[in-house]
Amino acid sequence: MTTELGRRIARRIALTGPISVADFMAEALGHPTLGYYRRAMPLGAAGDFITAPEISQMFGEMIGAWLAERWHAMGQPASVRLVELGPGRGTLMADALRATRGVTDFHAALDIHLIDTNETLRAQQATALASFKPTWHERLDGVPAGPLLLVANEFFDALPVRQFHKTAHGWRERMVGLAPDGETLSFALAPGGTPFASFLPEAAEDAEAELCEQGRALAAELGARVARDGGWALIVDYGYDASGPGASLQAVRSHRGAGVLDHPGETDLSTHVDFAALTAAAAASRARVSGPVGQGDFLKRLGITQRAEMLKARASPAQRHALDAGLERLIAPDQMGTLFRVMAIGDDRSAAPVGFSPGFSDGT
């Protein structure tokens, strides 16, 4: 059974022909009224996924410490745009701000901006951050110019990707068309070559590949902005450090795997982020790039294990168990510690950021 959005996409294809996987993702996730991120409540046990800030307060606290350190490294500007892309319920930002309330003059310098299209989540963010009076935007370019501190946690993985398949005649783009019944969405390959071939890796026949144009463009935009105005952007997501063949597009519905083309608008779609592509795009904009490194190493270098011990010292047995479980999930190599990667894009006028060099290790 399809959805109203699925029927609309099918009608579009019937009228104008097959669409790219990127176009399908853009509609399924971002349609103005029926898109997943416009209408769904994706987070938590009742949603489709749980992000790091929802696992433990320590994640947001470490991010807050990193942001405050970057503000000092920038020379403590009197005004700085603090931006979060896809802030969920506002949990990460609230934890980060609570953890930095004792940093002299930091909060007074902050002008908070949130990039989100989901009205329900915006309402929750407004409640979580009521005392800070944030401003909302649908796009980064709506944020006024000026020194920037930005966080994007599990944001790039939801940006649309094009998919490709290597045939005996070269790379062909995977498209979304209609099955013989004229109603069901199905995958097919474009008959001719693709102008994106030069961006794709060398690979054997039957290999798959993905290309995220929006991710590259956003990394370039961030790079150009911090190079011009000063500042730093922190990107945390699951992905891989080196570009290469492979397809990672997946669908999740109620915490279970689902068909990518099933239930458009009611299913979360995501891919593994190509951090090498983001690095190249940001560097081409004359920005400085640190990382990527594993989330586990990054958080340990910021002191998350010591923070856990501090919290456990005044916690109940049940709370200590929850703290241990949350820490394990965030930093263990077989959980989020290795698959999730962290990179920073910044200006060349401030010192290298903490968290990316073993020299900043907490010794654990």
Side-chain angles (χ1 to χ4, degrees):
M1 179 182 297
T2 188
T3 60
E4 173 59 27
L5 181 57
R7 289 187 285 273
R8 293 191 185 193
I9 294 173
R11 287 196 295 270
R12 171 185 170 184
I13 293 171
L15 289 171
T16 64
I19 60 176
S20 68
V21 172
D23 283 345
F24 171 78
M25 288 184 68
E27 284 286 281
L29 298 178
H31 184 279
T33 57
L34 300 173
Y36 179 78
Y37 283 114
R38 295 279 187 168
R39 58 180 294 277
M41 178 53 68
L43 292 166
D48 296 315
F49 57 89
I50 297 175
T51 60
E54 306 288 333
I55 293 170
S56 172
Q57 69 182 68
M58 295 183 291
F59 182 82
E61 291 172 347
M62 294 301 103
I63 300 301
W66 190 89
L67 293 169
E69 187 278 332
R70 287 293 82 198
W71 177 69
H72 274 280
M74 293 161 61
Q76 303 176 48
S79 178
V80 62
R81 317 299 185 200
L82 177 56
V83 179
E84 186 173 1
L85 305 181
R89 294 173 173 157
T91 305
L92 186 157
M93 186 64 74
D95 288 341
L97 292 169
R98 187 191 65 256
T100 56
R101 62 183 180 272
V103 179
T104 303
D105 296 329
F106 182 47
H107 284 195
L110 298 178
D111 176 24
I112 298 176
H113 297 264
L114 306 177
I115 313 299
D116 206 316
T117 60
N118 187 306
E119 292 298 331
T120 301
L121 287 176
R122 282 190 179 193
Q124 295 193 16
Q125 295 154 19
T127 299
L129 302 168
S131 61
F132 294 94
K133 298 179 173 60
T135 302
W136 284 267
H137 309 271
E138 294 214 351
R139 294 165 49 93
L140 177 62
D141 57 16
V143 177
L148 180 75
L149 288 170
L150 179 142
V151 179
N153 179 59
E154 292 197 55
F155 180 84
F156 279 79
D157 64 277
L159 297 178
V161 300
R162 293 180 181 270
Q163 282 196 324
F164 303 87
H165 181 85
K166 186 69 175 290
T167 72
H169 305 289
W171 288 108
R172 297 291 185 266
E173 184 164 5
R174 177 170 286 114
M175 309 295 285
V176 177
L178 295 178
D181 65 12
E183 297 179 356
T184 306
L185 300 176
S186 66
F187 287 118
L189 294 181
T194 171
F196 296 96
S198 61
F199 295 100
L200 302 177
E202 292 294 329
E205 188 174 342
D206 289 329
E208 309 283 337
E210 291 172 338
L211 179 67
C212 183
E213 296 172 279
Q214 286 192 27
R216 294 177 183 221
L218 181 54
E221 181 181 358
L222 287 170
R225 176 152 184 164
V226 298
R228 182 193 69 215
D229 296 346
W232 287 82
L234 188 72
I235 299 169
V236 185
D237 228 314
Y238 50 91
Y240 44 91
D241 294 357
S243 299
S248 63
L249 176 60
Q250 62 182 350
V252 175
R253 194 164 187 250
S254 299
H255 298 275
R256 295 183 178 182
V260 169
L261 301 181
D262 297 342
H263 305 285
E266 298 178 3
T267 303
D268 179 41
L269 303 175
S270 65
T271 63
H272 287 207
V273 175
D274 181 352
F275 279 94
L278 301 188
T279 297
S285 298
R286 301 183 181 277
R288 176 182 184 177
V289 178
S290 297
V293 298
Q295 176 177 289
D297 286 341
F298 178 79
L299 293 175
K300 286 189 289 185
R301 289 166 185 163
L302 292 179
I304 194 170
T305 52
Q306 293 96 325
R307 177 57 177 162
E309 291 304 314
M310 289 175 59
L311 292 171
K312 286 163 62 179
R314 55 181 184 270
S316 68
Q319 290 171 329
R320 288 196 291 272
H321 176 76
L323 286 164
D324 284 337
L327 180 65
E328 177 78 4
R329 188 164 178 185
L330 290 173
I331 70 174
D334 61 345
Q335 297 197 47
M336 299 175 75
T338 301
L339 174 62
F340 278 71
R341 317 300 293 169
V342 185
M343 69 177 285
I345 300 171
D347 61 59
D348 60 0
R349 302 184 287 280
S350 46
V354 298
F356 294 92
S357 167
F360 293 107
S361 174
D362 64 13
T364 62

